[in-house]
Amino acid sequence: MACPRVRWRPEQIQGLRGSARNAEVKAWAAKGEPVEHQRAEDAFRAVADASPLLVWVTNEHDEVVWLNQAWYEFTGRTPEQELVHGWRGGVHPADAERVFACIDEVFDARASYQSDYRLLGADGEYRWVVDSGMPRFDTSGKFIGYIGHCVDLTERIGTESGRRLGDDRFEALAERSFNMVAIYDEASHFAYASPSHQRVLGYSPEELIGMNPVALLHPDELEVIGQAFAHQLEFTGVPSPVEHRMRHKDGSWRHVESVAIDLRSDPSVRGILVNARDTSDRHHAELLVADQAKILELVARGAPLDQSLDAVVLMLEQWMPGVHGTVTVIDQELHQLRLASAPNLPAGIVAELQGRPLRGPPPGGEFPEFATGPIEADADDAAAASFLSRGYLTYWAALVRAVEGDRPVLGAVCVYRQDEAPPTDTERSVVELAANVTAIAIARDQTAARLTHQAMHDALTGLPNRDTV
């Protein structure tokens, strides 16, 4: 039985038409198989291994060349036992002739198919599965095999309660999944949403049921997402991760990676199954690494220290909108703190921060590597009064230590806020990263100054060279 194709109605997708996602998607959609594109193949296998479905892939000779982790967990057998034609030994003898004849018929016709049979499980018991498959072709139209999946329907066969979306087995899997698992009905609305949606997006499953998921997509990405999923569902039939943004209930955007599988013909699902995982932390880490690389490039090129430190502060303020950052360094000769960078701090506060006396650590202790706290009024600290008068309430600070030797304290990177919010793990990491980059920039500047001094002064006497006098 041929698998139905997905048809998105214009009013459902709200303009999800347009050019293809990118050249990679075009190429993959055109040839209908990921084997020639290693990165796409790896991504497919990673997603398939995370799926509760039993996923399989064959070559053009009807030999099974790959099975996902769920298959091996289901059967309890090894790749050596299952690959090529080994899996056939697990089919119930009473079903074998019918199933293999069906496979041979659709294989010769290069048609999609669906069949049900009993498959031997790891516990020694046979379980009913529904097996769906479809052919794959390369860019020249050459047939290169089949791809498909099996769904365990043992507890669901013949009962209405087993075919409903709220099936206990399905919910047990979905509700324990760290990923967001959803089913879209024929109208492309949420028919099911796993509890993990609330953790990632802030919406309870009850709030999402009946909602059009398009309402959660970033408007700038609607066309790209629509094209990517259309290629998967209508042409290739091969799940491929699509990276995009989804709106959190608080209005912010989360980065996710989604895979869609057409299971409308599957009686246990009867919809489009979407598995999405939150990649926001990974995305932020990649951006942070890119920002760090830009600053280190300035340092490597020998840019003036104040330019490099301004870049550090601007990075902080970009990552945490609404804050103001500073870099303060210790002037050991004058026993003072020198404000080395504060590109956006109000001028009145800048003046108060310059030349502040260097204070020692608290009695019996050391300066903490990372400190947070309220800005408190102090009769001896005009800078604190200046901050408070402008609405700043709290600060976060990370020590800047020398990169070599006993790593003495060189100064601090500070963030000043007009609220009392504590730093998140990500925000703390950003401030600590800024402190580390600042240490590298200062070390580079000190090395350059030392080399210049050596070039212009006699190594023994320390006096200026005759040529420099």
Side-chain angles (χ1 to χ4, degrees):
M1 179 172 62
C3 295
R5 299 297 188 187
V6 175
R7 298 295 181 221
W8 298 76
R9 295 197 301 272
E11 63 272 19
Q12 294 171 352
I13 62 177
Q14 299 179 9
L16 299 189
R17 301 180 298 274
S19 59
R21 170 187 173 202
N22 51 36
E24 179 182 349
V25 171
K26 290 180 180 178
W28 192 3
K31 63 189 178 186
E33 61 94 13
V35 177
E36 297 178 6
H37 195 301
Q38 187 62 46
R39 187 162 65 87
E41 179 184 7
D42 291 343
F44 158 70
R45 291 188 177 188
V47 172
D49 271 336
S51 171
L53 305 177
L54 280 60
V55 181
W56 51 264
V57 180
T58 76
N59 60 18
E60 67 274 22
H61 305 298
D62 196 23
E63 299 171 336
V64 174
V65 296
W66 189 81
L67 298 165
N68 74 336
Q69 187 63 33
W71 181 286
Y72 294 118
E73 292 175 356
F74 180 96
T75 65
R77 295 187 286 274
T78 66
E80 290 75 16
Q81 294 171 307
E82 295 289 83
L83 295 178
V84 189
H85 297 301
W87 71 275
R88 295 191 175 204
V91 177
H92 195 287
D95 301 328
E97 182 178 354
R98 169 179 59 82
V99 172
F100 301 152
C102 174
I103 291 175
D104 292 340
E105 180 181 351
V106 299
F107 187 84
D108 292 338
R110 309 293 191 253
S112 300
Y113 82 97
Q114 185 176 91
S115 178
D116 60 273
Y117 52 87
R118 284 162 289 183
L119 187 63
L120 185 62
D123 58 1
E125 300 291 331
Y126 284 97
R127 303 181 69 83
W128 280 100
V129 300
V130 170
D131 192 357
S132 303
M134 64 183 303
R136 300 181 297 138
F137 301 89
D138 65 15
T139 53
S140 66
K142 178 184 176 182
F143 171 69
I144 56 174
Y146 269 76
I147 185 169
H149 64 269
C150 296
V151 180
D152 181 6
L153 297 181
T154 303
E155 283 83 13
R156 300 191 279 262
I157 290 292
T159 64
E160 181 61 29
S161 62
R163 290 191 293 268
R164 65 187 176 87
L165 290 173
D167 174 79
D168 292 340
R169 263 181 70 86
F170 177 80
E171 287 189 355
L173 288 170
E175 291 187 7
R176 288 166 174 78
S177 174
F178 192 75
N179 292 351
M180 295 183 291
V181 180
I183 295 176
Y184 301 161
D185 59 21
E186 290 288 342
S188 296
H189 294 156
F190 278 98
Y192 173 83
S194 64
S196 50
H197 282 78
Q198 186 152 17
R199 174 181 58 80
V200 178
L201 299 178
Y203 294 95
S204 68
E206 294 74 21
E207 291 177 289
L208 293 174
I209 300 303
M211 180 187 296
N212 190 327
V214 170
L216 300 178
L217 303 181
H218 197 286
D220 294 343
E221 298 171 345
L222 290 178
E223 183 177 315
V224 173
I225 298 169
Q227 288 290 337
F229 280 125
H231 278 299
Q232 289 183 43
L233 297 172
E234 294 197 39
F235 301 112
T236 68
V238 179
S240 173
V242 178
E243 295 186 5
H244 60 95
R245 285 170 288 180
M246 296 189 75
R247 179 172 53 81
H248 191 279
K249 190 175 181 179
D250 64 11
S252 63
W253 295 98
R254 302 294 294 179
H255 290 263
V256 301
E257 190 175 71
S258 301
V259 173
I261 305 174
D262 184 3
L263 297 179
R264 292 181 300 167
S265 61
D266 189 320
S268 68
V269 180
R270 299 188 186 279
I272 304 297
L273 177 65
V274 178
N275 192 311
R277 65 188 184 98
D278 184 11
T279 60
S280 298
D281 288 343
R282 185 190 74 187
H283 179 79
H284 291 158
E286 291 172 350
L287 292 178
L288 194 56
V289 168
D291 287 343
Q292 178 187 11
K294 293 177 183 177
I295 298 171
L296 293 178
E297 183 180 358
L298 284 175
V299 174
R301 292 206 318 260
L305 180 61
D306 58 351
Q307 182 180 348
S308 299
L309 298 186
D310 282 351
V312 170
V313 173
L314 292 175
M315 178 189 71
L316 284 173
E317 295 176 349
Q318 177 183 348
W319 273 86
M320 293 171 276
V323 309
H324 282 120
T326 66
V327 174
T328 303
V329 298
I330 298 174
D331 189 326
Q332 295 289 0
E333 292 184 2
L334 299 177
H335 205 63
Q336 291 181 342
L337 294 175
R338 179 174 62 84
L339 189 62
S341 177
N344 293 314
L345 203 63
I349 301 180
V350 170
E352 299 290 352
L353 288 175
Q354 287 290 11
R356 301 172 74 196
L358 180 61
R359 298 180 180 180
E366 297 182 353
F367 290 116
E369 295 296 321
F370 190 91
T372 65
I375 299 174
E376 298 177 339
D378 187 337
D380 297 327
D381 191 348
S386 189
F387 273 113
L388 291 170
S389 68
R390 290 170 172 81
Y392 294 91
L393 301 177
T394 56
Y395 73 92
W396 307 339
L399 290 184
V400 177
R401 289 188 176 274
V403 296
E404 296 180 348
D406 57 358
R407 305 191 68 223
V409 176
L410 302 178
V413 170
C414 298
V415 168
Y416 299 96
R417 302 182 60 93
Q418 294 183 323
D419 59 33
E420 298 178 351
T424 64
D425 290 343
T426 298
E427 289 170 333
R428 174 168 176 156
S429 296
V430 173
V431 178
E432 291 175 335
L433 173 65
N436 292 335
V437 175
T438 296
I440 295 172
I442 292 175
R444 171 67 175 78
D445 184 71
Q446 290 175 340
T447 299
R450 184 170 62 254
L451 292 175
T452 300
H453 182 274
Q454 292 173 352
M456 301 180 67
H457 291 75
D458 184 270
L460 295 177
T461 65
L463 296 174
N465 290 331
R466 184 176 305 172
D467 294 339
T468 62
V469 175

